Amino acid sequence: MEDFNEWISYRKNLINKELELYLNKINNFQSIIYDAINYSIFAGGKRIRPILTLASYELFDYDILIPMPFACAVEMIHTYSLIHDDLPAMDNDDFRRGKPSCHKKFGEDIAILTGDALLNKAYEIIFDLNSQKNIPPEKIIEAGRILATASGSEGMIGGQIVDLHHEKNNLEVLEYMHLHKTGAIINASSKIGGILGGADDEELGYLDEFSRNLGLAFQVKDDILDVEGTNEDIGKPSGSDIENKKLTYVTLMGVEKAKKLEKELTEKSISSLDYFGSNGKCLKELAKSLLNRKN
Ligand code: GRG
């Protein structure tokens, strides 16, 4: 769909330009941190989460520069989580986004600090009230709180702990882990867009439902891509989940059932947007496009 591809690339380019501005290299004694930050941020991510923030905001208003600081903050936190996830103490992955992972390129010490720096930069941007004059401070605080909770021990970090330290042998634990590890930031990305756009409780409820199911569908697809994707497309060796004896939707239920589940979750997520009428068209297209993604 030509229009939709243009819609996506326009937003992706804008996000990349803003990220460049925020992460501009400073030539000082610690300048290596900017090399590592830029290496990881611009390694070729799809920018799904910041696009979700912008698209959720667009249900209510057209000016996507208003939620942009939050969209960039979400991508910074996502990239920090990938850098830390790749470390030897966690998933020990040598490749990310088709390139050597941050610690392979810069060493573990710099990779840890790069993740930490991105996490802190995200909140520095959000709470720079001078650059966010068009948003009432109470909305900035509410959206910031949602991002912090989603990133923390009851969100993404909680899911990562379950992944590393809890026995995963059934669908209930698997779903809990992914709703937190992958789903929490996807959920927050969408709700933040809604909050900044002025969504009421009912509208936020629909965005919550939409992005919860989308986050799970996204993870099921990730598991399918691990067995069906090419190394080139997914940017790392395929089949690593099976090799590492990981419990995934595919290893638990087989690839065909996993595909059926992904489709059902995507349809469910799309139907939560019916409430928004024709305003929900682009967000629905975004959900559909994730069903067909190759990486
Ligand atoms: C280390 C604090 C900490 C958390 C790690 C999110 C996470 C928690 C780890 C990522 C592990 C992983 C590969 C999960 C599968 C789903 C996922 C988040 C994939 C990567 O997201 P994409 O596909 O990546 O949006 P790009 O590179 O396009 O941004």
Side-chain angles (χ1 to χ4, degrees), residues 44-49 75 78 80-82 84-85 90-91 96-97 156-157 160 181-182 218-219 222 236 293 295:
K46 296 183 289 298
R47 311 299 193 222
I48 298 301
R49 295 154 191 81
E75 184 64 20
H78 167 60
Y80 123 69
S81 80
L82 298 181
H84 282 193
D85 187 60
M90 302 229 192
D91 255 20
R96 170 67 62 185
R97 293 174 165 172
M156 178 177 72
I157 288 179
Q160 180 78 346
K181 186 175 133 166
T182 307
F218 187 86
Q219 181 60 52
D222 210 69
K236 56 180 185 176
R293 72 191 169 100
N295 70 353

Side-chain angles (χ1 to χ4, degrees), residues 209-281:
E209 210 175 81
F210 156 71
S211 53
R212 248 171 222 280
N213 285 313
L214 188 75
L216 269 188
F218 187 86
Q219 181 60 52
V220 181
K221 181 73 178 190
D222 210 69
D223 291 352
I224 296 169
L225 285 175
D226 186 72
V227 290
E228 291 202 334
T230 63
N231 293 4
E232 203 183 12
D233 279 339
I234 62 177
K236 56 180 185 176
S238 64
S240 62
D241 289 344
I242 292 174
E243 199 173 303
N244 297 328
K245 296 191 171 59
K246 260 190 163 178
L247 183 79
T248 73
Y249 284 98
V250 172
T251 58
L252 191 74
M253 58 179 65
V255 82
E256 288 316 314
K257 277 196 181 151
K259 281 182 181 173
K260 194 164 166 265
L261 176 63
E262 187 209 359
K263 198 158 175 276
E264 280 166 12
L265 288 165
T266 305
E267 279 164 6
K268 241 187 191 173
S269 80
I270 287 175
S271 67
S272 308
L273 298 172
D274 286 347
Y275 180 85
F276 299 100
S278 61
N279 287 352
K281 200 171 143 244

Side-chain angles (χ1 to χ4, degrees), residues 185-211:
I185 297 288
I186 291 181
N187 180 247
S189 304
S190 179
K191 283 199 305 198
I192 286 168
I195 287 167
L196 301 179
D200 62 26
D201 286 350
E202 192 177 11
E203 289 163 334
L204 269 185
Y206 284 117
L207 280 179
D208 183 53
E209 210 175 81
F210 156 71
S211 53

